[in-house]
Amino acid sequence: MNGELVKLGDLIEPAPVELAGQSSHPVLSMTMHRGLVEQGDKFKKRVASADTSSYKVVRRGQLVVGFPIDEGVLSFQTLYPAAIVSPAYGIWNLKSDNICRRYLERYLRSPRALAYYSSKLRGTTARRRSLPQDVFKKLPVPIFPFEKQEYVADILDAMDELRAKRREALGLLDDLSEAIFIAMFGNPVANEKGWPIGRIGDIIESARYGTSEKADEHGDLPVLRMGNITTRGRIDLSDLKYLPRESLNDRYLVYPGDVLFNRTNSPDLVGKTAVYRSGEPLAYAGYLIRVRMRAENHPEYLSAFLNSRYGKAILRNMCKSIIGMANINAQELKRIPIPVPPVDLQRDFARRVEEVEQVRTLQEKDLAYLDELFNALQTRAFVGHLWQN
């Protein structure tokens, strides 16, 4: 049972534009995983300008389409009778009562629909490419009886809730690592435990910039770039570029136990720090500083200090911003004051971090499995294979 294929334009139509004007409504933003949320939930603060008169009013039950659409940035508004969203978003009305909104949203965010958007996007700037309305309306949508649509939506909603809980658990592990740091070492600014105060340069062996050679997809040695350092203090190897191995000497290689520091980025991202824990040495790019510790100090302690809210405050206050980019050079990094607790305590902290990372690895594997299962269910759902004929 494959369902009847209809064009999306037979199911939805552009809503008349209703501007906020002087009215007061909740401000909503779009997220990839949770759809529309209150703006404060996404950014921890309001980021809309004080003047929201040009924002669009979106009524309960209307579809909001953001960008980049090929990442599934769209959602039905279900939170309020009326709210407002960015003027850049598109708003659509449902034309038929025989369509389950949850089913349609699931399909519009399915791999099949995302592939359609990706193949039809127009424009040259990656995350600003757009999908014309007439092309969007030509998307083929499989339609089943209403009760089957609800059945599909219920199953996919339940599986997505499991994935959301796993992502939440991973986020709590990030909080746990910082809580362990504060419990063991105290507030680095107040230094209530009375540790000796040194400078980062006192506890490290070297701080070197990475290679300036341009990496691409054709070499054999992976190159870590600033995008590979996450805001939560880890190294993400999912998007790598490469250089020929013979073109680099040891000066530009990072080994297990080295700390990578993102020296140049936007002001809120400069100073991202992570310990390289993998086995094989990799190259690292010029926007990163490779910090190699003295034997009597531990890299996990330095990384946790720089990634703590106190360390980030220090970095924000000291970085220089030039045309929207901030910079902290190696000499400035080495001058940062840092409490220096006993090495045995640093090692005990590193052991606890390793235990947290082991739990994280298991959680990430579980999430990867749930993602695979969710995608498989979507594939079956939209061709009618989740129920008997």
Side-chain angles (χ1 to χ4, degrees), residues 181 188-189 191 195-204 293 297-306 311 314 333-341 346:
F181 177 85
V189 177
N191 193 24
W195 308 123
I197 301 296
R199 297 187 182 275
I200 287 179
D202 300 331
I203 66 173
I204 68 173
M293 305 295 294
N297 291 287
H298 207 287
E300 295 289 356
Y301 172 72
L302 174 61
S303 179
F305 168 76
L306 290 172
I314 292 171
L333 173 63
K334 289 194 280 189
R335 289 197 293 267
I336 294 174
I338 183 172
V340 186
Q346 294 182 40

Side-chain angles (χ1 to χ4, degrees), residues 224 235 254-260 274-282:
L224 295 173
I235 294 177
V254 56
Y255 287 85
D258 287 340
V259 177
L260 288 174
V275 178
Y276 181 64
R277 303 186 182 101
S278 301
E280 292 296 320
L282 301 182

Side-chain angles (χ1 to χ4, degrees), residues 283-331:
Y284 65 105
Y287 288 137
L288 301 178
I289 299 174
R290 182 195 67 191
V291 177
R292 190 158 287 167
M293 305 295 294
R294 295 184 186 274
E296 62 269 24
N297 291 287
H298 207 287
E300 295 289 356
Y301 172 72
L302 174 61
S303 179
F305 168 76
L306 290 172
N307 282 314
S308 70
R309 69 192 69 181
Y310 312 102
K312 290 182 183 298
I314 292 171
L315 296 171
R316 282 196 299 271
N317 288 334
M318 67 182 293
C319 66
K320 304 181 294 292
S321 182
I322 302 174
I323 317 180
M325 295 294 284
N327 183 73
I328 297 174
N329 65 39
Q331 293 304 313

Side-chain angles (χ1 to χ4, degrees), residues 45-302:
K45 62 180 179 179
R46 178 188 170 108
V47 297
S49 62
D51 179 11
T52 57
S53 59
S54 64
Y55 275 51
K56 293 179 180 178
V57 175
V58 54
R59 303 288 173 177
R60 192 192 303 275
Q62 290 183 314
L63 176 67
V64 181
V65 179
F67 53 85
I69 190 173
D70 58 326
E71 294 181 7
V73 185
L74 51 83
S75 179
F76 281 97
Q77 201 277 95
T78 61
L79 299 175
Y80 298 101
I84 58 175
V85 295
S86 166
Y89 291 171
I91 300 177
W92 300 74
N93 286 328
L94 198 61
K95 294 167 65 173
S96 171
D97 293 332
N98 295 321
I99 302 301
C100 172
R101 285 179 171 82
R102 292 184 300 125
Y103 169 86
L104 181 57
E105 180 173 330
R106 286 292 177 192
Y107 182 76
L108 294 179
R109 299 173 71 174
S110 70
R112 185 190 300 183
L114 298 186
Y116 174 86
Y117 309 146
S118 183
S119 68
K120 306 291 185 181
L121 287 174
R122 297 179 185 174
T124 56
T125 305
R127 295 183 64 83
R128 293 287 175 177
R129 299 174 68 201
S130 62
L131 188 72
Q133 279 193 5
D134 61 326
V135 176
F136 184 47
K137 290 192 291 184
K138 290 178 182 176
L139 170 70
V141 180
I143 297 299
F144 303 97
F146 192 84
E147 65 275 10
K148 301 296 187 185
Q149 297 177 41
E150 289 189 310
Y151 180 74
V152 167
D154 287 343
I155 289 178
L156 295 180
D157 285 352
M159 178 58 66
D160 211 13
E161 184 176 352
L162 290 176
R163 298 196 304 160
K165 288 179 177 178
R166 189 67 70 215
R167 286 192 291 268
E168 182 181 356
L170 286 167
L172 292 174
L173 287 176
D174 292 326
D175 297 336
L176 175 60
S177 294
E178 181 163 357
I180 293 171
F181 177 85
I182 298 301
M184 293 183 67
F185 305 115
N187 177 334
V189 177
N191 193 24
E192 63 269 21
K193 295 183 182 286
W195 308 123
I197 301 296
R199 297 187 182 275
I200 287 179
D202 300 331
I203 66 173
I204 68 173
E205 177 185 299
S206 62
R208 297 186 181 278
Y209 301 121
T211 177
S212 59
E213 290 193 42
K214 186 173 178 58
D216 55 31
E217 288 76 24
H218 306 299
D220 55 355
L221 181 64
V223 181
L224 295 173
R225 298 164 293 148
M226 61 182 178
N228 296 115
I229 312 299
T230 76
T231 57
R232 306 299 295 208
R234 294 191 300 280
I235 294 177
D236 180 2
L237 301 177
S238 62
D239 180 20
L240 292 171
K241 290 188 181 296
Y242 300 84
L243 284 170
R245 187 176 295 271
E246 63 273 12
S247 69
L248 297 176
N249 58 36
D250 186 72
R251 177 185 178 90
Y252 300 121
L253 296 183
V254 56
Y255 287 85
D258 287 340
V259 177
L260 288 174
F261 178 86
N262 184 190
R263 67 180 179 93
T264 300
N265 211 315
S266 57
D268 58 331
L269 294 177
V270 70
K272 293 185 298 179
T273 306
V275 178
Y276 181 64
R277 303 186 182 101
S278 301
E280 292 296 320
L282 301 182
Y284 65 105
Y287 288 137
L288 301 178
I289 299 174
R290 182 195 67 191
V291 177
R292 190 158 287 167
M293 305 295 294
R294 295 184 186 274
E296 62 269 24
N297 291 287
H298 207 287
E300 295 289 356
Y301 172 72
L302 174 61

